[in-house]
Amino acid sequence: MPYLGSEEVVKELRRALSNPNVQADRLRYKNYITKVIRYMTQGLDVSALFMDMVKASATVDIVQKKLVYLYMCTYASDKPDLALLAINTLRKDCADPNPMVRGLALRNMCNFRMPGMTEYIEQPIVAGLRDKASYVRRVAVLGCAKMHSLQPNTEIDGTIVNELYALLRDPDPVVVVNCLRALEEILKDEGGVVINKPIAHHLLNRMKDLDSWAQSEVLTFLLRYRPRSDDELFDILSLLDAFLLSSHAHVAVATLRLFLHLASAHPTVQADALLRTSAPLLATCGAASRELRFAGLCHVQQVMRSQPGLFGTHYKRFFCGYSEPSYIKFRKMEILVELVNDENVSLVLEELRSYCTDVSPELAQAAIAAIGRIARTYSEKCLDILTGLLGLKQDHITSAVIQTFRDLVWFCPQSTAAVCQTVGACVDSPQDSEGKQALLWLLGEHGDQISSAPYVMEGYIDGLKTELSSAVKMELLTAAVKMFLCRPAETQDMLGRPLHYCIEEESDVCVRDRALLYYRLLQRGVEETRKVVTGPKSDPSMSVLTGRQEEPISEWASTFNTLGPLAGCDLCPQTDATSAADQPSCRAENELLPDVTLSSPDDTEEEISLSLGPPLSHETFEKMWLDLETLHRQTLGFPRPRAAPDTLQAALQLVKIQTLAFTPGDTVPWKAYIYTRSTETLILAELLQGDQQAPGSDESLVVSVKQQPVNQHAIRGFVSVLKSVLWPIKSKN
Amino acid sequence: MISQIFILSSKGDHLIYKDCILTTGLLVALFCLCLYLLILLQSHKGLHFIHVRQGGLYWVASTKTNPSPFTIIEFLNRLAALTKDYCGSLSEKSVRMNFALIYELLDEMVDFGYIQTTSTDILKNFIQTEAVSSKPFSLFDLSNVGLFGAETQQSKVAPSVAASRPIMSSRGEQNEIFVDVIERLSVVIGSKGVLMKADIQGEIRIKCFLPTCSEMRIGLNEELSIGKSQLKGYSSAVRVDECRFHQAVKLDEFDTFRILKVCPSQGEQTVMQYQLCDELPCAPPFQLFPSVEKDYVNRVLIFLKLRCDLPPKSTALNVSITVPVPKGSTSMSQELSSPDQTAELQPKNKALLWEIPRFPGGAQLSALFKVDVPGLSSASLLEVGPVSMSFELPKQTCTGLQIRFLRLSPTQTGLSQRWVRYVTHSDSYTIRI
C-alpha cells in the first residue's frame, strides 16, 4: 500500500546510501540498509534503490549481506537487468572459503525469480551438490528444485535427478530429506519421487537421526511404499513403533497415519495403533497451544468415526474450560455428544446444562442442540433439562429449545407427548425467525396434542402484517392449513385471514404462490387437501441414516493428518452430500409434498418422481427381468455401500425405491435387485459389483436398468436419484 | 510445504513477511485474512492459511498443498518460541525492533517452503544479528521484584526478568539455567462441593543461557510413580498418569533413581510432559460456599465465601472470580473484606468480577454483592451460573512433583547459577452453584 510521501522517503534513503560519509561509517551504512528493509516489510516500494543496494552487497559483514540479499530476492523480478549486476558478486561468494557465505550466496541466487537465471545458477548448483560442507549441499539440493520451478516446462535433467537419488545416501540427514523434497518437486508430473524397497529401508534406518520435522515428512513419503510381504510389513511397523509415542504430536500422528495405511489389511493392528496413540492424541487435546488443541480435537473426532468407544472413559477431558475460545468449545461439545453412555450421561448432561447459560448465544444454542441430540437416546432426562431452560425466559434460549424440540419430535416420536405438553405450557414465544418457524411447525404438525395451539397460532396470524421473514410466513400458512385439518372448528375463522392477506397484499412471490396453492387445494375439498398436506409426522427411518455407525478406518485414513479434518467439508467433497439430509427445513419441505409430482413438462433429469405402487412378487420380477432388454448400463464410480442391509433398504425406501433381494454380506459378486415406478412406467434395476464378466465392476458399482414401457427420461432421473441416495450412505460408512 | 510466513500484529499490520515460493495476489489474500482471522484455518484461492496466536501476535503460514496441520501449528509455535528466545520477550515492539534478526532466523529455518532446522544448537552458528532488547537487563531489577511477581523473604530469588532476556545477548552475560515445573490445573466442582473433574497437565521446562552445556542431571522425587497400576507406598507418593520426554532426554537412570539426564541446548525446551487425571493428591486449592437470594423486588444478593485450602505458608496470587449475573443487571454494590480487593460489574459479559491480588493459604474471604436487576423474576436467579476462577500458585505443584537436585556435570567450567521454579496456573477452574 502506498504511503503518503513515499517518494520523499525513497529519495532521502538514496541520498543517504550514496553519501560517501555514510558509506565510510559501517554502522551508519548498515542502519540505513536496515531502514530500507523495514520500509520494504511495511509495503513501501523501495525498488528504486536497487542500484545502491547492489553496491552494498560487496561487503564482508555477513549481517549486511543477508539484509541486502533479502532485498534483492524481493525485487529481482521487477528489475531483472539490474539484478544481473549482482550476480557477479554472488558467484564470487559461491567460491568463498567460508561455507556459510557459500551457502548463503547460493541460496539467494536461486531465489532470484527472473527469466534466464538458469544459466547462471546451474554451474554453482552442480558444484554445490558436491561441496564438502553439508550446509552448502542442503542449499544446493533445494536449489535444483528452485531451478526447475523457474522453468517448469523444460525437460527434466536426468543427470541432476540421478545425482539427487544418489544423495539420498548422504550422511547429513537434512540433505537426505531435502533430496526427497527436491525430487518430489522436479518429478511432480511423473508422480513424484519413487520410493522403492532400498530407499524405503534406507529411510527407515535413518529415522532416528532425523529431527522431528524431517521425521514427519519422511513418514508422509513412506505412505507411497507398499511392503512386499507381511514379514516386511511387520518389520517396518516394529521399527516405527517407538515413534507412535513421540513427544512431538506431529510425529506421533504422522506415524499413526502410516500405520493405518500400511496395516489396512490388518484391522487388529490398526485398532492397536489407535489405542496406543490415543494417549498422545488426548494430550494434544489438552495442549497449552489452543490451535494444537483444536487440531487434536478434530482428529479425535475422526478417529471416533470408527472407534467410538476409544475415548469413552476420558469423556471428562472434553469438558470445556471457561477461557477456551468458542471454536474449541463447539468441537468439544460435538465429541461429548458422541461419548454419552449409560454411566456418564448424567454428568455430561449436567456439564452441558452449565454451558446453556453462556454469555455467547451461539454457544448456548449449540449446547442446547447437543442436549437435543442426546435426547434421542435419553429423552426423559434431557426433556427435564430443556423444560427447565424454558423457565429462564431468555429469547435465544427459548428459540433454541423450541428448535431442538422440533428436531427431537421428528427423530424420536415417543417424546411427542411430553414435548407437546411443554410447548403448550410455555408462555413466551421465540422472537427470531428460526425459532418462530420451529414453533409453527410444531403447532401445525401436532396441533391436536397442544390444547392452546389455536390461540398461539392466532397471535401469529394477527402479527402477520408486521412479520418480515417470508420463511416464517410460509411456515405459518402451512401450519394454519394443517391445524385446520385436525381442528377445523377452532381454526376455520382464522384460516381465511392469512390466506387472504398473502394472496392480496403480500409482495413476496413465493409466499403468494404458496398461499394460492393452499387456496386452490382447499377449493378441491378437505379430503383432497388432507391427502396432499399431511404426511408422516416423524421419520424414525431417518435416524437409521443419521445414527452413527462404526465406519471402516479406510474411510477417513486418507485424510487423517491433513487439513481436511480441520476444514470440515471445505476440502473433502464427500461430506457435502450428507449435510443436506440434516437440514430440518428440507425435511419439512419433502414431507409436505410426498406424492406430488415435482416434475414440470420440461424439467431436468434430477426432478423426477418415483413411487412405490403395488408390490411386485419375486416371480413377476424374475419373469420381467428375463423378458426385457437392458436399456441402460452405467458405472456409478463408487463401491457398494457397506451399510447394514436394513439401512440400505430404509434409505432406498425413502426415495421410493423398493428392494427386492440382495446378496447377503460380503459375497462376491455382490448383487441387488430393486424396482420402482415412475410416471406410468416400471423400472427394474440390478446393482452389481465384483463380477468378472461385467467390465468395470471390480472397484465400482454397476447399475443395469430395464424398463417397461420405455422412457429414457425416467431412466436418467432414476439413476441420478439412485446415485444421490447411495453416495451419502457409502461415504458415511 | 509452506508458501508464505508472516507475523501480524493484533491490528493486522504485517510485521514480518516471507514469501517462500513466488505467489501473487498476496495483498488481496492478506486483507481477507485480516477479516477472518478468528478462524484457525482459512482458505482463499487455493491457499490455505493457518495461524497461531502467541504473545498477542498472529503467526501465519500459508500453503498450497495439504500438509499435516500438526506440523504447521507446531512449527509456528516453535517459531514463536525461538523468536522469544532470541528477542527476549514476545511482543509487537520486540518483533518490530528485531525484524532483521527474525528474517535471518526464518531464512535459516525455512528454505523454499521446507523446514530445515529449528534447533538452537545449529541455528546459533548462523545467526549473526544481535538482539535489541526492549527492556535492557539491569541489575537494579534483581533486588525488588520476585519470582512471578511474588514478594518473598528469601534472599536468593531469581529476578523475574532474568529469564526474559535474549539468549545470545552479550550484555549481562551470566551462566544461568532455569528449570521450571509448570502445571496447569483444570477443575470442575459440582454444586455440592463434590469434585467432578480434576485434570493436571504439567511440564518441566528448561531455559538455558549457558553457551555450552554438558550433561545435566535432574533428580525428581524418588517416590514418583507412573501409571495407575502401581501400588502406593506408605508415604504420600507422588503419582502421575503418564509422562513423555523430549527425545534428547536419556532415561537410563529414570526407572530406578528418577533421574533425567539431558544436555540442554540454549533457549527454552520442554524436557518432560506429564498428566494426572481425576485423582488429585491434595484438596483442590479453593472451595466456594455461595448463596444466592432475591432480596428486594429488583435486587439479587450474592454472598460468596471462599476458602483457600493451600498449606498456610503458600499463597495464591492474582485470584479473580467471575460470577455470571442475570441479564440486564444495571448496578452493583459490594462489601469486601479488605481494601486491596476489587469488584466490578461487567454488563457486557453479564458477569461480576471479583479480584484478590493475594490470598494466603488457609484463609477464608467473603464478599457480599448486591446486584440491581430491573424486572427481576425468580427465573433470573437461575442465570447465576457456574463461577469460574483464575489464579496462579507460585512455589506450588499440585501433583507434588519436586526437583530434588540439579547437577551439571563436573566438567562444567565457570560459575553457573541454577534456578528451580514451581508454579501452578489455573487452566480452568469452575465451581457450579
Side-chain angles (χ1 to χ4, degrees):
Chain A
M1 63 198 102
Y3 284 104
L4 277 178
S6 61
E7 280 172 36
E8 282 305 304
V9 171
V10 172
K11 234 180 253 172
E12 202 171 299
L13 282 172
R14 173 177 301 150
R15 214 174 299 137
L17 284 173
S18 51
N19 184 346
N21 288 333
V22 174
Q23 281 173 359
D25 184 348
R26 267 179 52 197
L27 212 63
R28 263 178 85 190
Y29 195 45
K30 201 163 104 183
N31 267 340
Y32 276 109
I33 292 171
T34 318
K35 234 181 212 170
V36 173
I37 307 285
R38 194 188 297 271
Y39 282 122
M40 190 181 88
T41 314
Q42 286 167 0
L44 191 74
D45 183 13
V46 284
S47 60
L49 298 170
F50 205 94
M51 212 42 230
D52 304 279
M53 294 297 273
V54 169
K55 274 184 207 148
S57 72
T59 168
V60 284
D61 182 357
I62 289 192
V63 178
Q64 185 175 331
K65 245 189 215 309
K66 284 185 175 176
L67 288 173
V68 175
Y69 287 161
L70 178 72
Y71 173 91
M72 291 203 285
C73 290
T74 314
Y75 290 115
S77 49
D78 297 343
K79 307 251 170 186
D81 41 340
L82 290 176
L84 285 180
L85 294 175
I87 283 178
N88 258 336
T89 331
L90 284 165
R91 286 189 66 149
K92 203 164 73 212
D93 282 352
C94 282
D96 197 276
N98 183 349
M100 196 155 78
V101 175
R102 287 203 299 272
L104 189 67
L106 186 57
R107 183 168 59 217
N108 286 290
M109 202 150 69
C110 297
N111 283 346
F112 280 16
R113 289 163 195 133
M114 47 189 213
M117 204 50 210
T118 325
E119 53 179 305
Y120 300 104
I121 57 175
E122 192 164 3
Q123 190 267 324
I125 285 178
V126 174
L129 287 176
R130 301 191 188 110
D131 202 286
K132 283 197 301 294
S134 60
Y135 183 69
V136 184
R137 286 200 304 274
R138 293 174 188 180
V139 172
V141 167
L142 282 183
C144 299
K146 290 178 192 169
M147 188 162 71
H148 181 75
S149 76
L150 279 175
Q151 299 174 306
N153 298 321
T154 49
E155 217 166 282
I156 296 163
D157 186 350
T159 50
I160 284 196
V161 171
N162 285 339
E163 194 135 0
L164 287 176
Y165 270 118
L167 274 174
L168 281 175
R169 308 263 166 196
D170 197 274
D172 184 73
V174 182
V175 174
V176 175
V177 185
N178 277 356
C179 276
L180 284 175
R181 294 158 167 167
L183 283 168
E184 179 73 11
E185 290 274 324
I186 295 171
L187 303 173
K188 207 189 273 165
D189 296 334
E190 299 172 14
V193 54
V194 179
I195 308 282
N196 57 18
K197 190 173 172 180
I199 294 181
H201 284 233
H202 170 68
L203 290 175
L204 283 165
N205 290 328
R206 292 298 301 273
M207 277 293 280
K208 284 201 175 65
D209 311 332
L210 307 176
D211 71 345
S212 68
W213 315 109
Q215 277 172 357
S216 64
E217 213 157 331
V218 167
L219 286 166
T220 315
F221 277 114
L222 284 173
L223 286 172
R224 300 214 184 130
Y225 181 63
R226 279 257 146 231
R228 307 269 167 76
S229 64
D230 271 5
D231 287 346
E232 190 190 352
L233 170 77
F234 287 113
D235 283 348
I236 294 177
L237 294 187
S238 56
L239 252 176
L240 293 175
D241 201 57
F243 295 99
L244 273 180
L245 297 173
S246 163
S247 66
H248 296 279
H250 59 109
V251 179
V253 173
T255 318
L256 176 61
R257 186 180 179 195
L258 185 63
F259 261 69
L260 295 179
H261 178 79
L262 287 179
S264 51
H266 304 271
T268 46
V269 178
Q270 285 183 323
D272 188 53
L274 281 174
L275 185 67
R276 282 164 54 88
T277 338
S278 67
L281 258 181
L282 271 176
T284 55
C285 295
S289 152
R290 290 162 170 188
E291 293 79 12
L292 206 59
R293 255 190 236 189
F294 179 72
L297 289 170
C298 292
H299 284 82
V300 163
Q301 265 187 316
Q302 233 187 3
V303 171
M304 275 177 23
R305 281 165 57 180
S306 28
Q307 299 241 323
L310 193 57
F311 300 99
T313 48
H314 302 287
Y315 66 97
K316 283 184 182 173
R317 304 285 284 276
F318 302 102
F319 284 5
C320 302
Y322 76 99
S323 55
E324 280 176 327
S326 49
Y327 58 82
I328 289 185
K329 288 184 178 171
F330 284 129
R331 290 280 168 168
K332 283 194 166 173
M333 279 195 266
E334 284 172 23
I335 293 176
L336 274 178
V337 169
E338 300 286 328
L339 287 180
V340 166
N341 59 29
D342 288 352
E343 277 110 58
N344 60 25
V345 61
S346 50
L347 278 173
V348 170
L349 281 177
E350 201 175 315
E351 181 71 19
L352 285 172
R353 162 71 179 81
S354 70
Y355 308 150
C356 293
T357 46
D358 198 277
V359 195
S360 145
E362 290 83 20
L363 199 71
Q365 283 171 346
I368 293 167
I371 295 178
R373 285 284 306 278
I374 297 175
R376 292 178 198 173
T377 346
Y378 301 95
S379 41
E380 208 168 304
K381 287 186 182 124
C382 300
L383 279 173
D384 285 349
I385 294 179
L386 291 172
T387 313
L389 286 171
L390 283 177
L392 287 175
K393 300 191 196 311
Q394 300 262 322
D395 287 343
H396 66 276
I397 293 180
T398 310
S399 162
V401 171
I402 299 277
Q403 288 175 54
T404 308
F405 278 157
R406 172 197 56 194
D407 293 355
L408 185 62
V409 165
W410 179 260
F411 285 112
C412 176
Q414 61 270 25
S415 58
T416 312
V419 167
C420 289
Q421 204 185 349
T422 316
V423 172
C426 170
V427 261
D428 45 78
S429 46
Q431 298 301 313
D432 59 326
S433 62
E434 299 273 299
K436 281 181 190 169
Q437 284 178 57
L439 181 62
L440 286 169
W441 187 87
L442 277 170
L443 291 176
E445 204 60 52
H446 299 282
D448 48 338
Q449 295 184 51
I450 305 171
S451 53
S452 61
Y455 309 103
V456 181
M457 180 87 72
E458 189 156 25
Y460 278 98
I461 291 173
D462 291 339
L464 185 61
K465 283 190 179 129
T466 49
E467 177 59 52
L468 297 172
S469 150
S470 49
V472 172
K473 288 179 193 166
M474 292 212 262
E475 195 62 59
L476 178 63
L477 283 169
T478 313
V481 172
K482 280 181 187 166
M483 178 114 68
F484 168 68
L485 292 171
C486 65
R487 299 169 77 160
E490 291 151 290
T491 328
Q492 190 164 19
D493 288 343
M494 61 172 108
L495 177 61
R497 271 187 289 153
L499 281 177
H500 181 266
Y501 173 80
C502 289
I503 293 170
E504 295 290 326
E505 291 174 49
E506 178 58 44
S507 55
D508 189 310
V509 187
C510 291
V511 180
R512 202 165 60 213
D513 284 353
R514 177 72 65 92
L516 278 169
L517 172 75
Y518 285 131
Y519 180 68
R520 289 180 197 133
L521 257 180
L522 287 164
Q523 276 182 330
R524 299 281 298 271
V526 175
E527 276 319 302
E528 201 75 9
T529 317
R530 189 188 305 279
K531 235 161 66 190
V532 174
V533 174
T534 54
K537 284 183 187 294
S538 67
D539 205 339
S541 68
M542 285 292 280
S543 60
V544 177
L545 288 177
T546 50
R548 280 289 175 94
Q549 285 169 344
E550 294 182 20
E551 302 176 17
I553 288 165
S554 55
E555 271 304 319
W556 49 264
S558 58
T559 57
F560 194 72
N561 195 23
T562 65
L563 296 179
L566 270 72
C569 54
D570 285 347
L571 291 171
C572 39
Q574 294 95 311
T575 47
D576 288 350
T578 54
S579 60
D582 294 345
Q583 298 289 326
S585 54
C586 340
R587 271 204 324 268
E589 205 63 35
N590 291 339
E591 157 274 334
L592 231 180
L593 310 160
D595 287 326
V596 177
T597 311
L598 285 168
S599 51
S600 58
D602 55 342
D603 64 353
T604 53
E605 56 187 53
E606 260 74 39
E607 289 164 315
I608 174 164
S609 82
L610 303 174
S611 58
L612 289 173
L616 221 58
S617 74
H618 285 252
E619 292 78 31
T620 343
F621 187 94
E622 199 177 326
K623 188 170 173 296
M624 287 172 83
W625 186 258
L626 293 173
D627 289 347
L628 292 171
E629 288 284 306
T630 302
L631 291 169
H632 182 84
R633 174 167 286 147
Q634 188 178 349
T635 309
L636 291 182
F638 50 83
R640 76 178 182 87
R642 298 191 177 274
D646 49 338
T647 315
L648 185 63
Q649 207 159 355
L652 289 170
Q653 195 107 46
L654 272 183
V655 292
K656 315 276 184 226
I657 298 177
Q658 187 73 46
T659 323
L660 192 83
F662 48 79
T663 348
D666 286 322
T667 336
V668 176
W670 184 86
K671 282 182 188 177
Y673 290 99
I674 52 180
Y675 68 92
T676 184
R677 287 188 172 79
S678 183
T679 30
E680 293 169 35
T681 161
L682 179 69
I683 301 175
L684 310 176
E686 177 199 51
L687 299 173
L688 178 71
Q689 180 165 16
D691 195 341
Q692 300 298 324
Q693 273 115 47
S697 73
D698 295 335
E699 298 285 47
S700 158
L701 211 52
V702 174
V703 57
S704 329
V705 186
K706 303 187 178 184
Q707 196 185 30
Q708 186 184 33
V710 178
N711 177 349
Q712 279 295 343
H713 166 70
I715 292 186
R716 281 201 305 275
F718 167 74
V719 173
S720 80
V721 168
L722 191 64
K723 260 178 145 166
S724 69
V725 69
L726 291 179
W727 173 250
I729 340 180
K730 174 247 148 208
S731 55
K732 263 177 171 297
N733 292 279
Chain B
M1 181 164 141
I2 298 165
S3 301
Q4 304 154 326
I5 296 172
F6 27 89
I7 305 177
L8 305 180
S9 73
S10 53
K11 294 195 276 314
D13 306 333
H14 34 303
L15 309 175
I16 299 285
Y17 163 61
K18 184 174 163 72
D19 187 357
C20 304
I21 322 159
L22 183 67
T23 22
T24 48
L26 156 84
L27 287 176
V28 185
L30 256 182
F31 287 133
C32 293
L33 179 80
C34 298
L35 291 174
Y36 299 114
L37 261 175
L38 287 170
I39 307 163
L40 179 67
L41 174 78
Q42 270 301 316
S43 300
H44 178 82
K45 287 185 186 165
L47 265 184
H48 308 298
F49 292 91
I50 300 174
H51 80 271
V52 159
R53 214 181 159 170
Q54 291 244 349
L57 302 168
Y58 292 106
W59 307 72
V60 193
S62 77
T63 168
K64 280 186 169 165
T65 52
N66 197 356
S68 155
F70 291 99
T71 310
I72 306 271
I73 292 172
E74 287 206 52
F75 169 72
L76 290 173
N77 281 334
R78 178 75 192 136
L79 174 64
L82 273 173
T83 312
K84 192 178 168 197
D85 280 351
Y86 274 93
C87 305
S89 63
L90 215 54
S91 66
E92 190 179 331
K93 196 177 163 204
S94 70
V95 171
R96 270 188 203 281
M97 278 167 43
N98 290 300
F99 78 98
L101 171 67
I102 297 171
Y103 272 125
E104 199 180 354
L105 264 175
L106 271 175
D107 213 28
E108 298 297 338
M109 285 164 73
V110 186
D111 191 9
F112 202 45
Y114 295 109
I115 304 167
Q116 298 292 304
T117 180
T118 58
S119 126
T120 19
D121 288 331
I122 300 174
L123 283 172
K124 72 177 174 198
N125 302 320
F126 299 106
I127 304 302
Q128 309 271 329
T129 318
E130 189 139 319
V132 188
S133 187
S134 50
K135 253 185 275 159
F137 182 61
S138 133
L139 282 173
F140 290 112
D141 295 337
L142 269 172
S143 49
N144 47 25
V145 190
L147 227 191
F148 298 107
E151 298 154 33
T152 37
Q153 306 304 310
Q154 286 173 320
S155 55
K156 266 201 149 189
V157 170
S160 65
V161 289
S164 60
R165 61 185 165 92
I167 49 169
M168 306 292 269
S169 166
S170 54
R171 265 175 303 172
E173 191 73 61
Q174 228 175 339
N175 285 338
E176 282 182 311
I177 187 155
F178 293 83
V179 177
D180 299 345
V181 182
I182 301 163
E183 293 190 348
R184 288 178 295 124
L185 182 67
S186 72
V187 166
V188 177
I189 297 176
S191 47
K192 295 186 183 70
V194 198
L195 189 63
M196 310 275 289
K197 171 204 167 182
D199 191 348
I200 299 169
Q201 305 275 339
E203 59 186 30
I204 299 178
R205 208 187 276 168
I206 296 183
K207 178 137 189 178
C208 175
F209 290 100
L210 308 176
T212 53
C213 184
S214 51
E215 192 172 77
M216 185 169 76
R217 290 152 64 88
I218 306 172
L220 306 179
N221 317 39
E222 262 178 338
E223 68 274 21
L224 174 72
S225 68
I226 295 159
K228 288 199 164 124
S229 55
Q230 289 188 29
L231 288 172
K232 285 180 187 172
Y234 293 107
S235 63
S236 55
V238 179
R239 194 181 67 82
V240 297
D241 278 347
E242 54 188 310
C243 52
R244 289 175 299 143
F245 303 94
H246 192 272
Q247 56 187 8
V249 179
K250 287 194 216 91
L251 295 171
D252 46 340
E253 286 182 60
F254 185 72
D255 283 342
T256 40
F257 302 112
R258 300 295 183 213
I259 291 171
L260 304 174
K261 290 200 283 191
V262 63
C263 299
S265 46
Q266 264 185 329
E268 200 170 90
Q269 57 220 294
T270 305
V271 287
M272 173 177 163
Q273 291 167 295
Y274 57 93
Q275 61 195 43
L276 176 65
C277 294
D278 287 340
E279 283 176 60
L280 282 189
C282 54
F286 290 100
Q287 273 294 2
L288 182 76
F289 305 95
S291 84
V292 180
E293 283 165 36
K294 199 170 149 182
D295 185 14
Y296 297 115
V297 192
N298 286 332
R299 182 182 276 184
V300 182
L301 277 187
I302 302 175
F303 182 68
L304 301 177
K305 201 156 72 172
L306 190 63
R307 193 180 71 208
C308 180
D309 287 337
L310 291 174
K313 273 182 188 165
S314 39
T315 337
L317 296 179
N318 303 332
V319 183
S320 75
I321 300 115
T322 313
V323 188
V325 293
K327 197 179 176 185
S329 305
T330 47
S331 60
M332 181 184 78
S333 64
Q334 71 262 29
E335 288 169 25
L336 304 173
S337 50
S338 74
D340 56 342
Q341 301 171 25
T342 56
E344 61 169 329
L345 183 71
Q346 296 174 322
K348 215 178 92 197
N349 298 334
K350 288 201 303 179
L352 70 83
L353 183 69
W354 175 24
E355 283 180 324
I356 308 160
R358 262 178 80 83
F359 202 148
Q364 183 163 306
L365 294 177
S366 54
L368 179 67
F369 304 98
K370 296 173 186 163
V371 186
D372 293 315
V373 190
L376 182 77
S377 67
S378 56
S380 305
L381 289 184
L382 296 173
E383 285 183 64
V384 183
V387 174
S388 47
M389 296 182 62
S390 73
F391 49 83
E392 62 186 60
L393 314 174
K395 297 188 286 170
Q396 185 85 31
T397 55
C398 281
T399 50
L401 189 89
Q402 300 275 331
I403 290 182
R404 269 186 301 147
F405 60 81
L406 201 63
R407 260 181 230 135
L408 295 167
S409 64
T411 49
Q412 191 67 41
T413 51
L415 199 70
S416 56
Q417 297 272 28
R418 288 159 289 166
W419 303 103
V420 178
R421 311 187 288 186
Y422 300 98
V423 69
T424 300
H425 293 283
S426 63
D427 194 24
S428 164
Y429 197 92
T430 310
I431 305 165
R432 298 213 191 104
I433 292 185

